[in-house]
Amino acid sequence: MRTITPYDAIGEALAEEMRRDATVLAFGEGIATKRHDLVAEFGAARVRNTPLAEGIIAGTAAGAAATGLRPVVDLLFAPFLTFSMEEIVNSAGKLRFLSGGQFSFPMVAMAMTGAGWGVGAQHNHNVEAWFVHSPGLKVVMPSTAADFKGLMKSSIRDDNPVLFFLDVALLHTPGEVPDGDHLVPLGKAAIRRPGSDVTLVSYAKTVHGCVAAAETLAAEGISAEVVDLRSLKPWDEEAVLASVRKTGRLVVVHEASRTCGVGAEIAATVAEEAFASLRTPIVRLAGPDAPAASSWVLEQAFVPQADAIAEAARGAVARTLSLATA
Amino acid sequence: MRTITPYDAIGEALAEEMRRDATVLAFGEGIATKRHDLVAEFGAARVRNTPLAEGIIAGTAAGAAATGLRPVVDLLFAPFLTFSMEEIVNSAGKLRFLSGGQFSFPMVAMAMTGAGWGVGAQHNHNVEAWFVHSPGLKVVMPSTAADFKGLMKSSIRDDNPVLFFLDVALLHTPGEVPDGDHLVPLGKAAIRRPGSDVTLVSYAKTVHGCVAAAETLAAEGISAEVVDLRSLKPWDEEAVLASVRKTGRLVVVHEASRTCGVGAEIAATVAEEAFASLRTPIVRLAGPDAPAASSWVLEQAFVPQADAIAEAARGAVARTLSLATA
Amino acid sequence: MSTSPAVPGPAAFLEQMMLIRAFEERSAASFAEGRSPGTCTCVGQEASAVGVVAALREDDLILTNHRSAGHLLARGADPGRLMAEIMGRSTGYCGGKSGTLHVSAKELGVILTSTIVGGELSLAPGVALSLSMKGSDAVVACFFGDGAACEGIFHEALNLAAVWKLPVLFVCENNEWQAFVHRRETMLTENIASRAAGYGIEGRTVDGNDAEAVFAAAAEAVERIRETKTPFLLETKTYRLRGHFEPDDQGYVDKDELATWRARDPIATLRSRLLSSGALTTGEAAAMDRRVAERLDAAFSFAAGSPWPSLDQLTTNVYA
Amino acid sequence: MSTSPAVPGPAAFLEQMMLIRAFEERSAASFAEGRSPGTCTCVGQEASAVGVVAALREDDLILTNHRSAGHLLARGADPGRLMAEIMGRSTGYCGGKSGTLHVSAKELGVILTSTIVGGELSLAPGVALSLSMKGSDAVVACFFGDGAACEGIFHEALNLAAVWKLPVLFVCENNEWQAFVHRRETMLTENIASRAAGYGIEGRTVDGNDAEAVFAAAAEAVERIRETKTPFLLETKTYRLRGHFEPDDQGYVDKDELATWRARDPIATLRSRLLSSGALTTGEAAAMDRRVAERLDAAFSFAAGSPWPSLDQLTTNVYA
Ligand SMILES: Cc1ncc(C[n+]2csc(CCOP(=O)(O)OP(=O)(O)O)c2C)c(N)n1
Ligand SMILES: Cc1ncc(C[n+]2csc(CCOP(=O)(O)OP(=O)(O)O)c2C)c(N)n1
Ligand SMILES: [Mg+2]
Ligand SMILES: [Mg+2]
């Protein structure tokens, strides 16, 4: 175990996978400048700066992936993905299917997102749900340094295009990372805290809000289970359903806007598959349906915080009780 | 009342609004060729062909909208919107907010979508949920010739960016359109058929499947209410909740892929807001999480059809009964 | 390393072009009969397809656009499997999933037909990157239209390929139309090849209706790419003689322009030139007609007789 | 129709540039003290900003990019409201919603600061379309970087503006850097103005560190645009003397290159030229220093003393 930042954990993951597999390469706007150690070890052909052009960065990744390479591309901030939607969605996501399985697209596209830097809505926009909604893609969004590393390594080894979202608020906060070839499988949630009264499902920075809320709630005698999805596509339906079947109550929390967000999918699936176990209405706690402001106070207020999460959980528990006693 | 195709209804809406308001103009790849009557009436400056470049078409619309014009742009097929995500999402959707309300973006972006032409996943991909998930945008997707006209006219008059999706399967099938200045407000659903046992919520082509299913069900003694959303953002929460509170059962139907689709938002909202009224698990019937194939048989199988809708509704009703008798 | 392709004779070009033309006309007829969906034919542009493809080695790779039947057939695609794909049958190159607009054929080195205008441009540099990182001296031929040259991805692709020294032959088939919009409505310059200078690479315009001229220009360009490891922009000037997408009555097309280009039909021109020079006898020409018709009869009956994909194909091949 | 702007003297340019430089340095200091978020300063590029903006009429409109403080201040923005915006206060031009990266000011004709590289290019033609459909002869100045010139939207915007004859002055501030990537890693050509030919429009490169030269070139370009109704691509060659975004130690920058350009600092150069020619006395120069310092003191205390936006602002101004 070492304590390193998620930023460094990503660096380790890249280095290890590039060492392991000569077809892995990385490119993006400034990656060769910022990760100069990778250039030093693997050479300029495998770690490249690019022109400022997100469309062709993603397209080049797709073309390279279709023909034997395993590119990792850094697209910087999630809103810049708007310039590479065509290549990611129409090419990387669909061409395996459209070719009848002739080609595959093993590539990873990284992008930072979320509140924390006060840079406003053209840098801070959580669009992971777009990709969850699009066929042929996988989507991950880790909350711990260990998962940044383990999920990145698994993403690079995956034979499909993976969107890898990095929550900026977490990127430079050190955390424990196991030594050795640490892999975290795509599609498996982590139970961050077991509990029996209410299930809190979340991912990325709001997982930490959920854990903090669970601690507060524990002091009040409410036992909250915190499920960290980690992978948003595929997402761990089994883990979520098992938890809700146990607790009977679900609060879904994320920073992304509520409407048609990942939380909607979780809530809808639970309302379909574990309806009979629900003892109380599902609650979604999410960012407002608005762009993110730059102003620090507004930026922070955008994100569901521990207090609000605890309050939502309390409400859910209280509501069932009152229904039961009515 | 006249019987015209949705394609012609859109033409009428454009002509009427251009006549009414000199700031309305239309441009796109071939619109001046295909709608030559508009060029004849309003001149080449107000109805323009463009170079083949969706990014700048959408960006030009946003720039023009910010400074006093009301552009309508034809972006042809929904998958081509991937080339204009930046302009639509980061500019048209966010800049009113980011400017503190200094600018507004009255523009309409049209795109065709859905099964019907056998042209495959790079022409046929229902991405309306992306825009529902993005702040500052409105989204409509009509199912009748009258709504194509009335919603287009309202969209042009709206001071916000509106994504207008045209289901290709409906575009050339004539339907009744009221005479005169026919307006349909954004955000209001239509009850296509009243009913009391189960609510079928849908939009675009699958509304017709729901109506057909409701007819079949009626013959079996099951009374289904069909709610046509028409607007996906804002969507008519009130109408859906009222219907579910009455029927206690919800089946949401759309062609778009299920995961994180509009149906997820409807289901999640109902699970939050009308939980106590639900007598049975919510059911979503949607396209598979896969690209659309070109082959006619696969293309049709992608779309939830009347039989499957009726079967889902029957299942919902039967399940409650068995729960009730259990 | 494969050897360079043999120089094909004009008669071989003629027969290839006739096959392509006949294929497209049957495909359009099949649409008109309601047996297949609409399609974008390459009628009028056959010389560009056969000339460029003939200049490629077997290990060179191809990406193309919605008007790809010519490129595929010139590359040796089986007309039966191609038509089966267009008809959405399980025996097509992509099992019916692609249909007419996204056909790829790995076995032929055809990585992509992109029906997203510009999609081929976005993937081409990456394909070339794979080749060059493998140490191969193969090149990638990327076919696109004058319309695609208006898309931002054209700019990004040419610039990246130039800066990274990627072996891409960018082939702009300038057919004067972009669906229902004339090229002149979309740019102030007459040529697209002149844009190459802005990226620091070479460009050249060639008569796209002359298969031999196209072949010569493409062969030279390919050679330069292999030598210099720098992309090249080749523009073939040609004309879309049929409509954009079936059905299309071309009512919006200037009659004189169409007549001018009909008179320059690449097939009729070459055929009559060969016949009048004696390089081809009427008997040989008739034999060509017969061979083409026979191949297409066989192809269409293979396709029409092939099974539909089974419904489980709805969700296969989504993930690896 | 507004009248043309008076020709500003070099002393006026100098004082404007000094204000901009001091504003940026204080803004960077404010970041370092944890009082405002990171920011992209235009240190080193002041001459390009003041020269172009001075060539505009009051009714001309501006779109710019993430390095916009110079353009805004040259246009007459209030440093207090600008700093308040950067600090996220309710008294900023956008009520604190924009922050440093998206400032617009309708009252100044500044339609947009785009922090999406290329966003300014995507909106500019539409803004120009509004002007020309209103029958105005005003122009749109669109500032962007050499990096933005690599984005596809650059290509699309220039081409559309050319074809539609839109009055846009495209100003490429070529500062040799694109965040952490040197311009030479992103293109094979030395100049961006040379790309104008590919769109059939005029382009010109000017010394971007000489405010008077920039002014002269911009004034001529604007005149041509008004006359010919054709866009123009003006490239100002300059250099980013500070890092990309605070904090940035520029450890990746070649020391010699930096030293060369430091020696060409547009403010120091002009100031010493004016002082040595006698056009400016040391007393006048000192008075300038004082005025600038006073204005900025006032601006920063206004900003720091301004209230934060109220939390209801989270969801206001989303829809009209
Ligand atoms: C991104 C995108 N925009 C628009 C279309 C619709 N469309 C298909 S082909 C075509 C014209 C293409 O023109 P060009 O590139 O010159 O090729 P051509 O058809 O002339 O061979 C258009 C507009 C598309 N398929 N993809
Ligand atoms: C679409 C997009 N891609 C990447 C970025 C990140 N970024 C911000 S500024 C910048 C460099 C811009 O270079 P240039 O256009 O030359 O402007 P300069 O900063 O040199 O003034 C980059 C890569 C961004 N903001 N937007
Ligand atoms: Mg063309
Ligand atoms: Mg720069």
Side-chain angles (χ1 to χ4, degrees):
Chain A
M1 268 308 179
R2 284 136 321 110
T3 299
I4 59 174
T5 64
Y7 181 83
D8 289 333
I10 294 288
E12 284 190 5
L14 285 168
E16 288 173 18
E17 295 307 305
M18 291 181 77
R19 224 167 273 144
R20 194 179 153 269
D21 180 347
T23 65
V24 177
L25 77 169
F27 49 94
E29 298 161 6
I31 194 168
T33 312
K34 287 180 281 183
R35 304 231 184 236
H36 198 74
D37 51 324
L38 295 180
V39 183
E41 180 171 355
F42 303 103
R46 286 180 68 195
V47 187
R48 296 168 179 242
N49 282 339
T50 63
L52 213 172
E54 291 74 17
I56 199 62
I57 295 172
T60 299
T67 50
L69 298 178
R70 303 185 85 84
V72 179
V73 293
D74 186 356
L75 291 162
L76 302 183
F77 285 91
F80 313 164
L81 290 169
T82 52
F83 271 145
S84 30
M85 291 298 283
E86 199 290 301
E87 296 75 14
I88 294 173
V89 172
N90 288 325
S91 290
K94 296 178 184 171
L95 290 178
R96 179 174 176 74
F97 178 87
L98 288 171
S99 72
Q102 293 179 84
F103 298 95
S104 56
F105 295 85
M107 57 182 269
V108 182
M110 285 192 271
M112 294 180 278
T113 185
W117 291 5
V119 282
Q122 290 189 340
H123 277 71
N124 169 12
H125 186 192
N126 293 280
V127 294
E128 57 275 8
W130 289 351
F131 301 96
V132 174
H133 185 53
S134 304
L137 305 175
K138 296 188 175 183
V139 183
V140 302
M141 195 159 170
S143 75
T144 70
D147 283 357
F148 271 86
K149 177 166 181 184
L151 284 169
M152 178 53 80
K153 284 167 65 82
S154 297
S155 298
I156 294 172
R157 294 189 198 180
D158 199 281
D159 282 333
N160 299 287
V162 180
L163 275 289
F164 197 106
F165 288 99
L166 304 98
D167 186 327
V168 296
L170 307 174
L171 212 49
H172 298 288
T173 309
E176 293 196 332
V177 175
D179 297 320
D181 196 26
H182 174 61
L183 289 162
V184 173
L186 304 191
K188 281 274 161 250
I191 307 297
R192 294 297 171 201
R193 191 189 162 103
S196 52
D197 294 329
V198 55
T199 298
L200 308 178
V201 174
S202 192
Y203 59 91
K205 70 159 70 64
T206 46
V207 167
H208 302 282
C210 288
V211 170
E215 278 159 20
T216 307
L217 292 165
E220 300 167 18
I222 297 174
S223 166
E225 177 147 301
V226 179
V227 182
D228 178 358
L229 290 175
R230 310 197 287 193
S231 288
L232 307 180
K233 186 172 200 177
W235 65 277
D236 195 342
E237 222 175 291
E238 215 176 308
V240 170
L241 292 174
S243 181
V244 174
R245 289 197 176 109
K246 178 171 65 172
T247 65
R249 298 178 192 91
L250 173 64
V251 179
V252 194
V253 185
H254 56 59
E255 179 177 0
S257 292
R258 168 195 184 86
T259 320
C260 279
V262 169
E265 181 61 30
I266 311 286
T269 302
V270 169
E272 291 173 311
E273 305 298 332
F275 181 76
S277 307
L278 283 173
R279 300 158 65 191
T280 188
I282 295 171
V283 179
R284 282 183 293 163
L285 216 69
D289 194 4
S294 296
S295 183
W296 179 255
V297 293
L298 295 178
E299 193 190 50
Q300 291 305 304
F302 192 99
V303 184
Q305 306 285 358
D307 285 357
I309 300 168
E311 191 51 35
R314 259 180 230 119
V317 173
R319 198 132 44 131
T320 346
L321 294 179
S322 68
L323 271 181
T325 57
Chain B
M1 266 317 176
R2 284 135 323 108
T3 299
I4 60 175
T5 64
Y7 181 84
D8 289 333
I10 293 287
E12 283 190 4
L14 285 170
E16 288 172 20
E17 295 307 305
M18 291 181 78
R19 225 167 271 143
R20 196 181 151 265
D21 180 347
T23 66
V24 177
L25 77 169
F27 49 95
E29 298 160 7
I31 194 169
T33 312
K34 288 181 280 182
R35 303 236 185 231
H36 199 76
D37 51 326
L38 296 180
V39 184
E41 181 171 355
F42 303 103
R46 288 180 67 194
V47 187
R48 296 168 178 243
N49 282 340
T50 64
L52 213 172
E54 291 74 17
I56 200 61
I57 295 172
T60 299
T67 48
L69 298 178
R70 303 185 85 85
V72 179
V73 292
D74 186 355
L75 291 162
L76 303 182
F77 285 91
F80 313 164
L81 289 169
T82 53
F83 271 146
S84 29
M85 290 301 281
E86 198 292 299
E87 296 75 13
I88 293 173
V89 172
N90 288 325
S91 290
K94 295 177 185 170
L95 290 178
R96 179 175 176 73
F97 178 86
L98 288 170
S99 71
Q102 293 178 83
F103 298 96
S104 56
F105 294 86
M107 56 182 270
V108 181
M110 285 191 272
M112 294 180 279
T113 185
W117 291 5
V119 282
Q122 289 190 340
H123 277 71
N124 170 12
H125 185 192
N126 292 279
V127 294
E128 57 274 9
W130 289 351
F131 301 96
V132 174
H133 186 52
S134 304
L137 306 174
K138 296 189 174 182
V139 183
V140 302
M141 195 158 169
S143 75
T144 69
D147 283 356
F148 271 85
K149 178 166 182 184
L151 284 170
M152 177 53 80
K153 285 167 64 83
S154 297
S155 298
I156 294 172
R157 294 189 198 180
D158 200 280
D159 282 334
N160 299 287
V162 180
L163 276 289
F164 198 107
F165 287 99
L166 305 100
D167 186 328
V168 297
L170 307 174
L171 213 48
H172 298 288
T173 309
E176 292 195 334
V177 175
D179 298 320
D181 196 26
H182 175 61
L183 288 162
V184 174
L186 304 191
K188 282 272 160 252
I191 307 297
R192 293 297 172 201
R193 191 189 161 103
S196 51
D197 295 329
V198 55
T199 299
L200 309 178
V201 174
S202 192
Y203 58 91
K205 72 159 68 64
T206 47
V207 167
H208 302 282
C210 288
V211 170
E215 278 158 20
T216 308
L217 292 165
E220 300 167 18
I222 297 173
S223 164
E225 177 147 303
V226 179
V227 182
D228 178 358
L229 290 175
R230 310 199 285 193
S231 287
L232 306 181
K233 186 174 199 175
W235 63 278
D236 196 341
E237 223 175 290
E238 212 175 311
V240 171
L241 292 175
S243 181
V244 174
R245 289 198 176 109
K246 179 171 65 173
T247 64
R249 300 177 190 92
L250 173 64
V251 178
V252 195
V253 185
H254 56 58
E255 178 176 2
S257 292
R258 167 194 183 86
T259 318
C260 278
V262 168
E265 181 60 31
I266 310 286
T269 302
V270 168
E272 291 173 310
E273 305 298 331
F275 181 76
S277 309
L278 284 172
R279 302 158 65 188
T280 189
I282 295 171
V283 178
R284 282 183 293 163
L285 216 71
D289 195 3
S294 295
S295 183
W296 178 255
V297 292
L298 295 178
E299 191 189 52
Q300 292 304 305
F302 192 99
V303 184
Q305 307 284 0
D307 283 357
I309 299 168
E311 191 50 36
R314 259 179 230 120
V317 173
R319 198 131 44 127
T320 346
L321 293 179
S322 66
L323 272 181
T325 56
Chain C
M1 291 304 106
S2 308
T3 53
S4 279
V7 179
F13 280 144
L14 178 64
E15 186 161 348
Q16 274 196 337
M17 292 199 287
M18 286 165 56
L19 180 77
I20 294 168
R21 174 75 54 95
F23 182 91
E24 294 291 50
E25 283 172 349
R26 292 230 196 166
S27 164
S30 159
F31 162 79
E33 293 159 14
R35 301 177 69 190
S36 51
T39 177
C40 290
T41 72
C42 65
V43 170
Q45 308 178 203
E46 297 87 351
S48 173
V50 303
V52 173
V53 172
L56 302 177
R57 279 194 330 222
E58 222 181 295
D59 62 339
D60 294 332
L61 301 175
I62 293 176
L63 293 94
T64 167
N65 68 0
H66 53 280
R67 232 170 273 292
S68 66
H71 310 128
L72 282 154
L73 292 169
R75 185 68 172 186
D78 170 19
R81 287 178 66 195
L82 188 56
M83 192 59 213
E85 189 56 51
I86 292 174
M87 287 186 171
R89 304 307 170 99
S90 61
T91 55
Y93 275 102
C94 307
K97 288 182 169 182
S98 151
T100 166
L101 290 173
H102 327 71
V103 189
S104 57
K106 199 172 186 175
E107 64 201 79
L108 302 170
V110 179
I111 307 295
L112 173 67
T113 291
S114 179
T115 185
I116 294 291
V117 171
E120 62 295 338
L121 286 161
S122 78
L123 262 62
V127 174
L129 179 64
S130 285
L131 292 176
S132 72
M133 287 191 65
K134 270 177 217 150
S136 155
D137 73 337
V139 309
V140 173
C142 177
F143 293 95
F144 60 99
D146 48 299
C150 298
E151 290 279 8
I153 196 70
F154 164 85
H155 176 72
E156 298 186 7
L158 269 78
N159 191 48
L160 185 82
V163 173
W164 283 11
K165 297 200 154 297
L166 299 174
V168 185
L169 175 62
F170 290 102
V171 184
C172 182
E173 301 191 311
N174 178 349
N175 64 2
E176 298 293 330
W177 282 95
Q178 304 171 6
F180 308 108
V181 180
H182 197 280
R183 186 193 55 72
R184 273 193 311 270
E185 285 190 78
T186 72
M187 56 184 72
L188 295 184
T189 55
E190 269 308 298
N191 290 333
I192 284 135
S194 61
R195 289 189 177 163
Y199 309 106
I201 64 170
E202 280 183 274
R204 175 172 171 191
T205 298
V206 65
D207 177 355
N209 277 17
D210 178 341
E212 291 166 286
V214 170
F215 171 76
E220 206 181 304
V222 165
E223 205 174 312
R224 282 195 66 72
I225 296 169
R226 288 199 222 282
E227 246 169 50
T228 62
K229 307 284 164 211
T230 307
F232 191 103
L233 173 57
L234 179 67
E235 176 180 14
T236 60
K237 289 263 207 183
T238 180
Y239 196 80
R240 192 192 77 195
L241 286 177
R242 277 189 81 94
H244 164 54
F245 183 77
E246 302 299 313
D248 175 353
D249 66 8
Q250 293 175 282
Y252 53 89
V253 176
D254 179 80
K255 300 292 159 277
D256 291 343
E257 180 179 284
L258 193 54
T260 307
W261 283 94
R262 279 225 174 97
R264 303 191 53 217
D265 184 319
I267 298 179
T269 318
L270 180 59
R271 187 171 171 133
S272 69
R273 183 160 66 72
L274 295 183
L275 283 171
S276 59
S277 76
L280 188 75
T281 66
T282 46
E284 284 164 346
M288 276 186 187
D289 288 332
R290 224 171 22 246
R291 279 197 299 271
V292 164
E294 276 167 18
R295 285 187 71 186
L296 289 179
D297 287 345
F300 276 71
S301 52
F302 168 78
S306 288
W308 295 101
S310 59
L311 289 191
D312 67 320
Q313 292 298 313
L314 256 181
T315 52
T316 54
N317 307 135
V318 177
Y319 290 98
Chain D
M1 291 305 106
S2 310
T3 54
S4 278
V7 179
F13 280 144
L14 178 63
E15 186 161 346
Q16 274 195 338
M17 293 199 287
M18 286 164 55
L19 180 77
I20 295 168
R21 174 74 54 94
F23 183 92
E24 294 291 50
E25 283 172 350
R26 292 229 194 167
S27 165
S30 158
F31 162 77
E33 293 159 13
R35 302 177 70 189
S36 52
T39 175
C40 291
T41 72
C42 65
V43 170
Q45 307 179 204
E46 297 87 350
S48 173
V50 304
V52 173
V53 173
L56 302 177
R57 279 194 331 222
E58 221 182 294
D59 63 339
D60 293 332
L61 300 175
I62 292 176
L63 293 94
T64 168
N65 68 0
H66 53 281
R67 232 169 273 292
S68 66
H71 310 126
L72 282 154
L73 292 169
R75 185 66 171 186
D78 171 19
R81 289 177 66 194
L82 188 56
M83 192 58 213
E85 188 57 49
I86 292 174
M87 287 187 170
R89 305 307 170 98
S90 62
T91 55
Y93 275 102
C94 308
K97 289 182 169 181
S98 152
T100 167
L101 289 173
H102 327 72
V103 188
S104 57
K106 198 172 187 175
E107 64 202 80
L108 302 170
V110 179
I111 308 294
L112 174 67
T113 292
S114 179
T115 187
I116 294 292
V117 170
E120 63 295 338
L121 286 160
S122 77
L123 263 61
V127 174
L129 180 63
S130 286
L131 292 176
S132 73
M133 288 191 65
K134 272 177 215 149
S136 155
D137 74 338
V139 310
V140 174
C142 177
F143 294 95
F144 61 99
D146 48 298
C150 298
E151 290 279 8
I153 196 71
F154 164 86
H155 176 73
E156 298 185 7
L158 269 78
N159 191 48
L160 184 81
V163 174
W164 283 11
K165 298 197 153 299
L166 298 175
V168 186
L169 175 63
F170 290 101
V171 184
C172 182
E173 300 190 311
N174 178 350
N175 64 2
E176 298 294 329
W177 283 95
Q178 303 171 8
F180 309 107
V181 180
H182 198 280
R183 185 191 57 72
R184 275 192 311 269
E185 284 190 78
T186 71
M187 55 184 72
L188 295 184
T189 55
E190 269 308 299
N191 291 333
I192 284 136
S194 61
R195 290 188 176 163
Y199 309 106
I201 64 170
E202 279 182 274
R204 176 172 169 191
T205 299
V206 66
D207 177 356
N209 278 18
D210 179 341
E212 291 166 286
V214 171
F215 171 76
E220 204 180 306
V222 165
E223 205 174 312
R224 280 195 67 73
I225 296 169
R226 287 200 223 281
E227 245 170 47
T228 62
K229 308 283 165 212
T230 307
F232 191 103
L233 173 57
L234 179 67
E235 176 180 14
T236 61
K237 288 262 205 183
T238 180
Y239 196 79
R240 193 192 74 195
L241 287 178
R242 277 188 82 92
H244 164 54
F245 183 76
E246 300 300 313
D248 175 353
D249 66 8
Q250 293 176 281
Y252 52 90
V253 175
D254 180 78
K255 300 293 160 274
D256 291 342
E257 180 180 283
L258 193 53
T260 307
W261 283 94
R262 280 226 174 97
R264 302 192 54 218
D265 184 319
I267 298 179
T269 318
L270 180 58
R271 187 171 170 133
S272 68
R273 183 159 64 75
L274 294 183
L275 283 172
S276 60
S277 76
L280 187 74
T281 66
T282 46
E284 284 166 346
M288 276 185 186
D289 287 332
R290 226 171 18 248
R291 279 197 301 270
V292 164
E294 277 167 18
R295 285 188 72 185
L296 289 180
D297 287 345
F300 276 71
S301 50
F302 168 78
S306 288
W308 294 102
S310 59
L311 290 191
D312 67 318
Q313 292 297 313
L314 257 181
T315 51
T316 55
N317 307 135
V318 178
Y319 288 98

